[in-house]
């Protein structure tokens, strides 16, 4: 192979020498910069970790996130209300009213403004104050540690005061407590420190859901005052049995006299062909009182499941479709038909699950009356557990979410019972303190151990925080100068392995433009 011309060889060698000198100067400058940063971090007064919003001030960043989260959560609540109102108009076969904004979104028929504002203040207030506190802690403490995330999350949790209903605040606090417990357990299990016996079971989530539902349905029948009023009303409206009948069942199980007058008044409004004799101290409330319109228990249970499907499908479709559109707007814009189809399938599946739950619960109650002559409160705990088996109709990843949704309701009921029996102190605003503590834990796991958190919850919080959240331990020591030095260290290694290549390849290896940021 002919040797290159002498002039070309000398020019290539001179260019290579100048490039190496430039690299050495760049390396020295970066090392000097790192030394200054370390000295400033040790004794400087104004040096602190850089925030992740270099293009805007900390105040503008916090206010922007507050407004964005407020509008997002406010819009989700209003859209759910509008969609439910539209289903109500369709059920009345008033199709032309769907085009009449006065009937569709009038304040008289769509009373969601106050609730939407409160929800917006909850999410928006938390997001804005969290980002503001994170920036403030970076400047005051001059370092980024897990304490920053925990403290900021705990203080920002005071936004729960935007909700004026203590029962709702308590439910949210207990829900977050179950989530923090889930993260802590997953963290300990991943580090081989602790795990429950049977945690590897395939249907462990279904078992947890079963136990929680058993407690909730027992509380619904025997201790309705221990459930939040909105949750109790939802169960009552979803089921096929009237409130006076449940009241009579509760009085029989407690050995109290039955309110015959109110029960007779209810039965007089039903289609009862044969009037029945009501006793003040019956041993059990018969099926003829539980479902007076239908003599057949099997037909009653089928009708109950069908009626539940019709009543709850609009709610489930709204809760499925609106988050699909709002939280995944780009995906919806790219393929709206597929998004609507997935939302429809999810709504049908969830509604079928709830309908089966109601049918199985009523079937267990009727079956007990076929084989027993005396009622007992434990029957309704067992019936709730049997009905919870319908969760197997849901997707596997949805079962744990449902279990952790129902678990706080059961814990809320237990909390009320223990406080009522003076086994726990009745502390004012205890739910606010619990919510703040749990939010501190949630934000710690979100930023430092995100894999321990359920994907749905992790994605939802990150969506509402509206900011890039990363693990600071991965980036606190890897700034721009560190990256440059690592790149420059790799150049001599690549140079030693390519001594036999032609001069054209040298010009590619030592191209400064290949270094990130240059």
């Amino acid at each position: 192979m002919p040797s290159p011309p002498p002039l070309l060889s000398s020019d290539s060698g001179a260019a290579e020498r100048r490039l190496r000198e430039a690299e050495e100067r760049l390396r020295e400058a970066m090392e000097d910069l790192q030394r200054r940063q370390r000295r400033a971090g040790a004794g400087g007064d104004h040096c602190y970790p850089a925030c992740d919003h270099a293009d805007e001030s900390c105040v503008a960043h916090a206010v922007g996130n507050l407004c964005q989260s407020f509008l997002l959560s406010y819009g989700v609540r209003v859209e759910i209300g509008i969609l439910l109102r539209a289903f109500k108009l369709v059920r009345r076969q008033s199709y032309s009213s769907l085009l009449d904004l006065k009937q569709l979104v009038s304040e008289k028929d769509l009373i969601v403004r106050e609730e939407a504002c409160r929800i917006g203040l909850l999410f928006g207030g938390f997001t804005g104050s969290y980002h503001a506190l994170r920036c403030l802690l970076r400047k005051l403490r001059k370092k980024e540690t897990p304490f920053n995330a925990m403290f900021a999350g705990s203080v920002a949790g005071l936004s729960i005061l935007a909700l004026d209903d203590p029962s709702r605040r308590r439910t949210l606090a207990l829900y977050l407590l179950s989530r923090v417990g889930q993260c802590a357990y997953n963290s300990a299990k991943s580090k081989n420190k602790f795990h429950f016996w049977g945690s590897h079971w395939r249907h462990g989530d279904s078992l947890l859901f079963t136990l929680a539902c058993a407690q909730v349905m027992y509380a619904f029948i025997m201790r309705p005052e221990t459930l939040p009023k909105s949750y109790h009303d939802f169960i009552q409206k979803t089921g096929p049995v009237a409130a006076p009948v449940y009241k009579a069942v509760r009085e029989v199980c407690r050995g109290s006299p039955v309110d015959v007058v109110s029960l007779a008044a209810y039965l007089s409004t039903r289609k009862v062909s044969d009037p029945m004799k009501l006793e003040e101290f019956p041993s059990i409330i018969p099926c003829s009182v539980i479902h007076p319109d239908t003599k057949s228990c099997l037909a009653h249970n089928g009708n109950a499941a069908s009626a539940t499907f019709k009543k709850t499908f609009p709610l489930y479709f709204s809760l499925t479709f609106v988050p699909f559109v709002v939280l995944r707007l780009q995906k919806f814009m790219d393929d709206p038909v597929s998004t609507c189809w997935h939302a429809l399938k999810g709504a049908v599946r969830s509604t079928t699950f709830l309908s089966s739950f109601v049918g199985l619960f009523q079937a267990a109650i009727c079956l007990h009356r076929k084989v027993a002559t005396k009622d007992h409160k434990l029957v309704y705990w067992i019936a709730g557990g049997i009905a919870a088996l319908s969760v197997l109709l849901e997707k596997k990843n949805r079962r744990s979410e449902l279990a952790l949704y129902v678990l706080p309701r059961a814990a809320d009921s237990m909390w009320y019972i223990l406080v009522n029996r003076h086994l726990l102190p009745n502390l004012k605003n205890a739910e606010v303190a619990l919510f703040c503590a749990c939010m501190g834990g949630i934000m710690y796991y979100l930023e430092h151990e995100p894999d321990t958190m359920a994907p749905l919850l992790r994605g939802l919080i990150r969506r509402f925080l509206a900011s890039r959240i990363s693990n600071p331990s991965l980036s606190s020591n890897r700034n721009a100068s560190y990256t440059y030095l690592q790149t420059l260290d790799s150049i001599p290694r690549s140079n030693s392995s390519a001594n036999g290549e032609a001069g054209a390849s040298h010009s590619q290896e030592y191209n400064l433009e290949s270094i990130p940021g240059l």
Side-chain angles (χ1 to χ4, degrees), residues 209 213 217 352-362 383-384 386-391:
F209 180 79
C213 283
M217 297 311 298
T352 303
F353 144 69
L354 187 59
S355 304
S356 302
F357 184 98
V358 173
L360 286 174
F361 184 76
Q362 295 300 320
I386 293 174
L389 296 176
S390 59
V391 76

Side-chain angles (χ1 to χ4, degrees), residues 414-427:
M414 186 62 66
W415 180 330
Y416 186 94
I417 292 174
L418 294 177
V419 169
N420 192 38
R421 294 182 178 180
H422 304 289
L423 297 176
L424 283 179
N426 187 15
L427 301 177

